[in-house]
Amino acid sequence: MSGGTDRHEGLRARVEALLAGYDPRSTERPAFLRARFAAGLAWVHFPEGLGGLGLPASDQTYVDQLLATAGAPDNDPRRNGIGLGMAAPTLLAFGTEEQQRRFLEPLWTGEEVWCQLFSEPGAGSDLAALGTRAVRSGEDWVVNGQKVWTSSAHRARWAILVARTDPAVPKHAGLTYFVCDMSDPGVEVRPLRQMTGEAEFNEVFLTDVRIPDAQRVGAEGDGWRVATATLMSERVAIGGGAAPRESGMAGVVATTWREHPELRTPQLHARLVSLWVEAEVARLTGRRLQQKLAVGAPGPEGSAMKLSFARLAQQLSGLELELLGEDGLRYDDWTMVRPETVEFTGRGAGYRYLRAKGNSIEGGTSEILRNIVAERVLGLPPEPRVDKDIAWKDLPR
Ligand SMILES: Cc1cc2nc3c(=O)[nH]c(=O)nc-3n(C[C@H](O)[C@H](O)[C@H](O)COP(=O)(O)OP(=O)(O)OC[C@H]3O[C@@H](n4cnc5c(N)ncnc54)[C@H](O)[C@@H]3O)c2cc1C
């Protein structure tokens, strides 16, 4: 498959062969997804044997469209967002072949959900300050510490984990990256209830958890570099989607506006139009970013997308509440649930308003993202870093 059109013809033939062997109407979802992975049609830019065909990532849309048109089941990326958006690209870039073969297929099909054991009390924005310790013991590492805000930990089979393996060197240098089995003895998951009433995330306590060295990702002490790559992918995953026009929050608010002509004032109209235009600019920038990603690696530009997504979600959900007045304040459901996905459009305006507050915190706060854009995109002078050359164990805590 050389030129674009030839490639598309080849891909169409592969999709047709898959559909002929696995009728989407009668094949169970996991079986269909496993067959799709084996055919190299999961993520076409991954290598052959790992769900892909080594093609440009831009060809994925073509495959997705063909399969969607045929009514084939998809792997709903929202149910395993951390696995698909963060663990998979990290394993592809830094994992051993054995790790890639073990983890990527059930990750892609959603049969194994992943979570991210990064944040700790006292190490969120300053992730490199984290204190969870991993100490070598024969062929294993013994891990002790506490993580927090761990989305989906209660559903996850695997976690990407960053732990401190050398406290005697500066904070960025002594970290190592692992895959942690969430079903191992010593892993305790406790729900954290959010202001929406839901408990999407958790505290995770790690007590003498034994992780085989074969589950180390990247070299010992190189965890910061691996984690940085994961975080770049995270911001793109959160902020860089290719949503259709008027999907998400912009669509919800536009619908409310159309349904309530009695609420209209010139001021509200001006605000709505300006937010709608911004949403459209963000959407099209996301498209451009995706095209950039198709020809290279995610860069700090993803941070700008995540920033604008968070700001827009908060402003649009605020405007929606204003439009709905008292009705908007009626909260739909306060039961503690452990949702699989964040359903912005499936819930009421009050839910959207409260949940959107987390958008400027999750995946890196807006303040930190502004620092990244300033330093790595605009080339402005970096923040002073007084702890750069001090051993982590000697830092004041
Ligand atoms: C819904 C949700 C889901 C999450 N899921 C996960 C998950 O699955 N796994 C995981 O590991 N983590 C997760 N997190 C955690 C998230 O990544 C952290 O909350 C975030 O990194 C901020 O860290 P912190 O809460 O410790 O705040 P802090 O770092 O203590 O920051 C407090 C305030 O100070 C500001 N600040 C700090 N340093 C600077 C600076 N240098 N310059 C300017 N301002 C600064 C921050 O922007 C913020 O406003 C989740 C968070 C949320 C809200």
Side-chain angles (χ1 to χ4, degrees), residues 148-184:
V148 74
W149 316 127
T150 319
S151 307
S152 300
H154 50 291
R155 299 194 297 117
R157 169 65 210 280
W158 300 103
I160 42 176
L161 163 75
V162 193
R164 186 159 305 280
T165 43
D166 187 355
V169 295
K171 62 180 183 179
H172 290 91
L175 301 169
T176 304
Y177 198 109
F178 299 95
V179 170
C180 174
D181 185 341
M182 294 297 285
S183 65
D184 268 349

Side-chain angles (χ1 to χ4, degrees), residues 98-117:
E98 197 187 343
Q99 289 167 348
Q100 292 166 347
R101 293 203 179 276
R102 163 63 188 86
F103 294 126
L104 289 175
E105 187 194 301
L107 183 162
W108 188 82
T109 61
E111 289 165 288
E112 289 180 349
V113 171
W114 286 63
C115 69
Q116 180 190 15
L117 293 171

Side-chain angles (χ1 to χ4, degrees), residues 82 116-119 124-126 148-151 200-201 355 358 361-365 367-368 371 383:
I82 287 169
Q116 180 190 15
L117 293 171
F118 281 21
S119 302
S125 301
D126 188 9
V148 74
W149 316 127
T150 319
S151 307
E200 280 169 51
F201 49 44
R355 183 58 184 80
I361 305 171
E362 63 196 338
T365 67
E367 291 80 11
I368 295 298
N371 284 349
E383 283 201 323

Side-chain angles (χ1 to χ4, degrees), residues 257 263-274 319 322-323:
W257 178 261
L263 301 174
R264 294 178 193 169
T265 66
Q267 288 80 5
L268 284 174
H269 187 237
R271 254 171 74 199
L272 176 74
V273 169
S274 128
L319 176 60
E322 267 184 73
L323 288 172

Side-chain angles (χ1 to χ4, degrees), residues 46-368:
F46 273 42
E48 288 191 40
L50 295 176
L53 296 165
L55 296 178
S58 50
D59 287 350
Q60 189 67 46
T61 319
Y62 179 71
V63 171
D64 290 347
Q65 276 165 2
L66 288 179
L67 286 166
T69 309
D74 71 11
N75 64 344
D76 191 353
R78 296 169 311 155
R79 296 219 167 92
N80 195 10
I82 287 169
L84 291 161
M86 289 157 244
T90 307
L91 289 169
L92 183 66
F94 296 95
T96 60
E97 200 186 327
E98 197 187 343
Q99 289 167 348
Q100 292 166 347
R101 293 203 179 276
R102 163 63 188 86
F103 294 126
L104 289 175
E105 187 194 301
L107 183 162
W108 188 82
T109 61
E111 289 165 288
E112 289 180 349
V113 171
W114 286 63
C115 69
Q116 180 190 15
L117 293 171
F118 281 21
S119 302
E120 296 183 9
S125 301
D126 188 9
L127 178 62
L130 62 85
T132 290
R133 283 282 277 130
V135 177
R136 187 81 195 228
S137 163
E139 282 305 296
D140 293 342
W141 294 83
V142 178
V143 182
N144 280 283
Q146 185 199 340
K147 297 288 177 177
V148 74
W149 316 127
T150 319
S151 307
S152 300
H154 50 291
R155 299 194 297 117
R157 169 65 210 280
W158 300 103
I160 42 176
L161 163 75
V162 193
R164 186 159 305 280
T165 43
D166 187 355
V169 295
K171 62 180 183 179
H172 290 91
L175 301 169
T176 304
Y177 198 109
F178 299 95
V179 170
C180 174
D181 185 341
M182 294 297 285
S183 65
D184 268 349
V187 179
E188 188 196 344
V189 176
R190 295 187 199 158
L192 280 173
R193 199 163 182 214
Q194 292 148 257
M195 68 175 164
T196 53
E198 300 177 311
E200 280 169 51
F201 49 44
N202 308 269
E203 297 178 294
V204 178
F205 295 85
L206 304 159
T207 311
D208 291 334
V209 178
R210 294 192 81 87
I211 299 184
D213 188 54
Q215 281 166 222
R216 175 171 43 79
V217 181
E220 179 181 344
D222 204 21
W224 182 250
R225 193 164 67 100
V226 185
T228 307
T230 304
L231 294 174
M232 291 296 176
S233 301
E234 175 174 35
R235 277 146 207 172
V236 173
I238 295 176
R245 176 178 279 185
E246 276 204 13
S247 56
M249 215 77 92
V252 174
V253 181
T255 305
T256 304
W257 178 261
R258 288 181 190 116
E259 286 171 357
H260 293 276
E262 75 283 4
L263 301 174
R264 294 178 193 169
T265 66
Q267 288 80 5
L268 284 174
H269 187 237
R271 254 171 74 199
L272 176 74
V273 169
S274 128
L275 287 174
W276 192 93
V277 169
E278 269 189 64
E280 193 55 12
V281 169
R283 189 180 73 81
L284 295 172
T285 309
R287 277 278 160 96
R288 219 177 39 233
L289 180 66
Q290 283 208 325
Q291 283 164 3
K292 264 188 88 175
L293 288 176
V295 289
E301 295 84 355
S303 300
M305 281 305 301
K306 201 250 152 184
L307 247 180
S308 57
F309 161 75
R311 199 169 48 87
L312 270 166
Q314 290 173 358
Q315 292 187 352
L316 284 162
S317 61
L319 176 60
E320 187 188 14
L321 271 198
E322 267 184 73
L323 288 172
L324 293 173
E326 286 173 15
D327 274 348
L329 295 176
R330 283 197 196 107
Y331 200 68
D332 55 356
D333 188 358
W334 196 253
T335 327
M336 177 168 139
V337 283
R338 307 277 266 155
E340 278 195 7
T341 59
V342 180
E343 282 295 348
F344 273 112
T345 47
R347 294 278 306 265
Y351 171 82
R352 278 190 277 282
Y353 181 74
L354 294 179
R355 183 58 184 80
K357 299 298 172 207
N359 293 155
S360 52
I361 305 171
E362 63 196 338
T365 67
S366 292
E367 291 80 11
I368 295 298

